[in-house]
Amino acid sequence: MKFTTPATTNPIDQLKVVGKPVDRIDGPFKTTGTARYAYEQHEAAPDAAYGYVVGATIAKGRIASIDVEAARRSPGVLAIVTYQNAGKLGKGKYNTAKLLAGPEVEHYHQAVAVVVAQTFEQARAAAPLVKVSYVEEKGEYDLERAKKNAKLPKTDDKPETKHGNFAAGFASAPVKLDATYTTPDQSHAMMEPHASVAAWNDGKLTLWTSNQMIHWGTQDIAKTLGIPVENVRLVSPYIGGGFGGKLFLRAEALLAALGARAAQRPVKVNLTRALMFNNTTHRPATIQRIRIGATREGRITAIAHESWSGDLPGGQPETAVQQTRLLYAGEHRLTRLNLAVLDLPEANAMRAPGEAPGMMALEIAIDEMAEKLKMDPVTFRIVNDTTSDPEKPTRKFSQRRFVECMRQGAERFGWNKRNAQPGQVRDGRWLVGLGVASAFRNNMVMKSAARVRLERDGSVTVETDMTDIGTGSYTIIAQTAAEMMGLPLERVAVKLGDSTFPVSAGSGGQWGGNSSTAGVYAACVKLREAIAAKAGLDPANAEFLDGAVRAGGRSVPLAQLAQGGEIVGEDTMEYGDLDKKFQQSTFGAHFVEVGVDVDTCEVRVRRMLAVCAAGRILNPKSARSQVIGAMTMGVGAALMEDLVVDKRRGFFVNHDLAGYEVPVHADIPHQEVVFLDETDPVSSPMKAKGVGELGICGVGAAVANAIYNATGVRIRNYPVTLDKLLTKMPLRA
């Protein structure tokens, strides 16, 4: 099915099942421990051996020698794989660094070996006996120092955009801001570590793995191993969190496959938590310069946003200027991405790549500008709203309810009670402040396919390689099929995460929910046509209600039609050029109240509110969970998350959950989420958009702005830790 014109009325609009806050259908399996994650495929691979990964202890250089003899003689050891005996290996499309080092070492903790043994303990005991000698080379690990050598990157997204004459517009503006902000390296800290179980059978590989994008992973493991893609099967029915860290093939999957081939039996490999931080991917640090010029009445006339980030050779920049191209009006505009070469572990996507760190800077700058203008920060944002793409004024937004988000949020949060003078509100020993920030994330759609079966008993089974990373994919896909086929939710079974199923959008970029359900919609249309034809009814007029198909005064139960054998519908939802005709984005507003201890400078978040406009909300309960999870990550980014770089040796020092701090329950107060009642017919037949990443965009800045309102101390370098506040706090009265 090709989606080339805006959606009109269709069966989803009935909203008998879609749009309802139903419980997640996978919930009982996850809460009872019967959901089998990648490392738990005991029945599928009952005789699996264990692999333990050895990581490089230098950040850049070459392997001079590897001595595995002592490890090989260790009890229980079955095989040891290094680059010397792994065979010829390629590199996947989505990998910047090789997943198995040798002879070159590209980053710290890059895998140099996997030790396979009968038990995990035996593999772990033998791993330190692998002796690797290195020739270390000088590397670059400091973004501030490498900044001067940064260049415009080669990227699919424009690295630089210009509109009007920024230099002249900024110079002539009566009110100006020129400030630099920094965000640190950050890590995915999902509950389930990277894990895979591999098994070979007649030259064919089955990989039970924790991976967000099954099709990408299948293609890349085949390319890396140099085998036909049809000889690879990836299975990933449950994923314990990803946040972008599991978008791509990672070392544990390749090493499980290599270990299984060497040991001639299934092998499971699980990255230890301490290895994940340097071996996998992370959100890179940024340095962002923002300049804004405005009239004294508060109209932005010139805006520039430049960002610097670093990655390994061949890597990509953190696209931190994306939102600035679209969020606020202004005649004279400049955005630029700069990429430096750093020899740190691979930088790549983490929840809302681009907008999350970009808005941490932009939305402080907007508040600073509002203060210069003596304008309310909410009013300043509303004044500079736009209905069209500022860089392409003829391209309108398909939906843009940004102002409504701001106004409704301000009313609900009691923004009118905010004291605009910082440091004036006390609650005992706490200085109290309110902060606001915009939320923005582009809406993307991806080609997605599904297969839908009408079973002999009248139930429906959906098959698609879509994944569920804790986001509720099982449930919204079931809701879609139930709505389309006129069935109750319990009569729909959903099978996900298997490369033998039709290729879906996968989970990433906030495109998963909308795109995958649209693929199911397309398959259900095919199934409806096949059922109606078998019943001798006109497909154009057929209605599917209460387990039957009806048209022309006749009603035939679905179970009756399938008695002779299952009926199958399969299709792919593909998209035309509506995204070129209309700018498709999601919008929101974040409001935060904080307390800052007047003596210790400890920050406590007291209240949070998010108002979101993100198309049709397919399941308000799971969507709310996505947003509050994103808000929680935003608090972490604002107050604590910081992958500290050893700039001498080139690695992240705090590579575990003891040293890399993330929010816990005690850090997070009540969080309120409001979804505006919206549909976007330009987006898909579902009229939905993504929401899982919108919820983090702007949160960090809202927290930082609230801290400023509480204390009068402006911090431009994240995270906003108490040591940065301590020397600047007002004297206690």
Side-chain angles (χ1 to χ4, degrees):
M1 178 181 290
K2 193 92 171 197
F3 186 71
T4 57
T5 58
T8 55
T9 302
N10 64 50
I12 297 297
D13 295 326
Q14 299 172 106
L15 298 182
K16 294 179 179 178
V17 188
V18 169
K20 304 301 182 188
V22 300
D23 293 343
R24 281 170 41 175
I25 60 177
D26 52 315
F29 306 117
K30 292 179 175 177
T31 54
T32 58
T34 53
R36 292 287 178 257
Y37 290 82
Y39 204 67
E40 302 171 323
Q41 298 297 328
H42 313 305
E43 295 179 4
D47 59 340
Y50 293 79
Y52 196 91
V53 178
V54 179
T57 57
I58 66 168
K60 186 177 183 180
R62 294 175 61 85
I63 296 172
S65 65
I66 303 178
D67 183 354
V68 301
E69 289 310 309
R72 197 183 304 280
R73 293 192 301 269
S74 188
V77 171
L78 301 172
I80 300 172
V81 180
T82 71
Y83 82 96
Q84 294 171 329
N85 64 346
K88 184 179 179 181
L89 296 177
K91 189 171 73 171
K93 175 182 177 182
Y94 297 101
N95 295 134
T96 303
K98 293 191 297 184
L99 299 180
L100 179 61
E104 297 83 8
V105 173
E106 298 166 272
H107 63 83
Y108 185 81
H109 269 177
Q110 187 177 16
V112 296
V114 61
V115 178
V116 180
Q118 296 276 6
T119 69
F120 172 78
E121 290 77 12
Q122 289 171 333
R124 181 178 60 185
L129 301 178
V130 176
K131 301 303 180 185
V132 186
S133 297
Y134 301 96
V135 177
E136 194 167 1
E137 298 174 10
K138 185 179 180 181
E140 181 58 79
Y141 315 118
D142 186 339
L143 178 60
E144 182 65 46
R145 191 170 61 192
K147 178 174 177 276
K148 63 181 180 295
N149 297 321
K151 298 177 181 178
L152 286 177
K154 295 179 180 178
T155 175
D156 293 339
D157 192 28
K158 292 179 182 178
E160 183 177 52
T161 63
K162 296 179 180 179
H163 188 271
N165 186 331
F166 171 75
F170 184 70
S172 63
V175 184
K176 302 182 183 70
L177 172 76
D178 185 346
T180 298
Y181 308 83
T182 67
T183 64
D185 296 286
Q186 297 172 353
S187 180
H188 310 91
M190 71 291 287
M191 185 176 293
E192 180 202 24
H194 293 74
S196 294
V197 178
W200 292 87
N201 186 17
D202 294 330
K204 295 186 177 182
L205 171 66
T206 300
L207 198 61
W208 296 270
T209 186
S210 188
N211 188 285
Q212 298 173 227
M213 302 290 292
I214 297 299
H215 184 62
W216 291 4
T218 305
Q219 298 283 323
D220 271 9
I221 190 69
K223 183 177 180 181
T224 303
L225 292 170
I227 62 176
V229 70
E230 58 267 22
N231 287 359
V232 176
R233 181 188 178 197
L234 256 63
V235 185
S236 192
Y238 297 105
I239 301 170
F243 310 124
K246 297 176 182 174
L247 281 172
F248 319 113
L249 181 71
R250 300 310 313 162
E252 101 291 339
L254 174 63
L255 295 177
L258 293 173
R261 189 163 64 184
Q264 296 186 328
R265 62 186 283 188
V267 168
K268 55 172 60 180
V269 177
N270 183 92
L271 290 187
T272 62
R273 185 67 65 176
L275 200 64
M276 286 172 58
F277 287 79
N278 287 284
N279 177 270
T280 64
T281 62
H282 70 284
R283 193 197 302 279
T286 68
I287 300 170
Q288 302 178 51
R289 182 189 183 192
I290 297 175
R291 288 171 286 172
I292 304 174
T295 66
R296 298 195 185 281
E297 295 72 36
R299 295 278 183 183
I300 293 174
T301 55
I303 185 167
H305 191 166
E306 299 169 271
S307 177
W308 289 261
S309 60
D311 201 359
L312 293 166
Q316 294 292 306
E318 180 68 38
T319 53
V321 304
Q322 286 178 318
Q323 71 290 318
T324 309
R325 297 173 178 175
L326 293 161
L327 188 50
Y328 298 114
E331 181 182 357
H332 304 292
R333 314 177 66 82
L334 167 68
T335 69
R336 181 182 293 125
L337 296 171
N338 303 279
L339 180 62
V341 172
L342 292 179
D343 298 300
L344 293 171
E346 182 177 336
N348 218 311
M350 181 172 165
R351 196 173 199 168
E355 288 96 338
M359 295 195 73
M360 288 173 73
L362 176 65
E363 287 300 294
I364 291 182
I366 290 294
D367 254 44
E368 291 198 58
M369 194 65 183
E371 185 175 44
K372 281 177 173 286
L373 291 160
K374 296 182 172 53
M375 286 183 72
D376 176 80
V378 170
T379 302
F380 181 53
R381 288 170 170 87
I382 290 173
V383 163
N384 289 287
D385 185 39
T386 177
T387 58
S388 61
D389 178 345
E391 294 182 1
K392 301 175 183 176
T394 59
R395 185 170 70 154
K396 299 292 184 181
F397 284 89
S398 59
Q399 293 280 347
R400 184 176 170 118
R401 299 176 69 187
F402 169 64
V403 170
E404 190 174 344
C405 290
M406 275 286 160
R407 286 178 172 157
Q408 188 172 141
E411 182 178 352
R412 280 177 172 266
F413 203 69
W415 185 256
N416 62 335
K417 298 176 183 177
R418 169 183 175 269
N419 191 320
Q421 184 67 32
Q424 299 302 304
V425 179
R426 291 282 292 267
D427 180 9
R429 74 175 198 265
W430 300 97
L431 292 168
V432 180
L434 303 185
V436 65
S438 304
F440 175 93
R441 173 75 171 160
N442 272 331
N443 177 63
M444 293 171 278
V445 286
M446 295 274 282
K447 178 180 175 181
S448 195
R451 182 164 52 239
V452 187
R453 304 177 185 275
L454 177 63
E455 308 287 359
R456 291 173 183 264
D457 64 355
S459 66
V460 163
T461 300
V462 183
E463 296 172 337
T464 172
D465 81 356
M466 180 60 184
T467 51
D468 191 322
I469 59 174
T471 46
S473 302
Y474 278 101
T475 309
I476 58 173
I477 285 173
Q479 288 177 273
T480 302
E483 194 77 72
M484 291 294 292
M485 303 312 301
L487 293 170
L489 197 60
E490 59 270 18
R491 297 287 287 163
V492 177
V494 177
K495 297 181 179 180
L496 300 181
D498 191 323
S499 62
T500 63
F501 297 157
V503 176
S504 74
S507 298
Q510 195 175 266
W511 63 63
N514 184 24
S515 299
S516 65
T517 54
V520 174
Y521 171 95
C524 286
V525 169
K526 285 282 182 135
L527 181 58
R528 286 165 59 107
E529 291 171 352
I531 290 171
K534 187 164 186 179
L537 302 174
D538 179 7
N541 297 318
E543 292 182 280
F544 287 74
L545 299 168
D546 303 324
V549 57
R550 303 173 185 175
R554 289 181 57 217
S555 177
V556 185
L558 298 183
Q560 178 181 320
L561 293 167
Q563 284 179 355
E566 64 181 20
I567 304 173
V568 180
E570 182 174 338
D571 203 358
T572 302
M573 181 61 70
E574 300 180 77
Y575 296 88
D577 61 352
L578 286 176
D579 61 332
K580 294 180 176 61
K581 296 177 180 177
F582 298 92
Q583 174 57 43
Q584 297 182 38
S585 304
T586 58
F587 298 90
H590 288 292
F591 292 83
V592 173
E593 177 183 304
V594 304
V596 182
D597 189 291
V598 71
D599 292 316
T600 68
C601 296
E602 294 171 274
V603 177
R604 293 288 180 266
V605 178
R606 296 157 65 109
R607 286 190 298 142
M608 300 182 78
L609 166 67
V611 181
C612 303
R616 171 174 283 153
I617 303 302
L618 302 177
N619 183 330
K621 182 175 285 189
S622 58
R624 176 183 179 273
S625 292
Q626 281 297 288
V627 174
I628 65 173
M631 292 162 73
T632 301
M633 287 185 74
V635 171
L639 299 179
M640 57 193 73
E641 292 192 46
D642 184 0
L643 270 178
V644 179
V645 179
D646 184 321
K647 296 176 182 178
R648 303 161 303 161
R649 300 297 304 279
F651 67 95
F652 299 125
V653 179
N654 50 336
H655 47 261
D656 56 38
L657 289 180
Y660 183 81
E661 296 181 0
V662 296
V664 297
H665 285 84
D667 296 312
I668 303 302
H670 174 71
Q671 297 163 309
E672 185 180 359
V673 179
V674 175
F675 296 113
L676 298 189
D677 186 10
E678 175 181 285
T679 58
D680 193 336
V682 170
S683 177
S684 79
M686 304 300 294
K687 303 174 185 174
K689 293 179 181 176
V691 74
E693 298 185 333
L694 177 69
I696 193 175
C697 298
V699 175
V703 173
N705 290 336
I707 292 171
Y708 175 74
N709 182 243
T711 65
V713 179
R714 177 67 74 187
I715 304 297
R716 293 170 173 162
N717 304 307
Y718 288 99
V720 185
T721 48
L722 57 87
D723 57 301
K724 296 173 184 175
L725 290 168
L726 204 55
T727 59
K728 301 176 182 177
M729 284 282 283
L731 294 176
R732 183 172 182 177

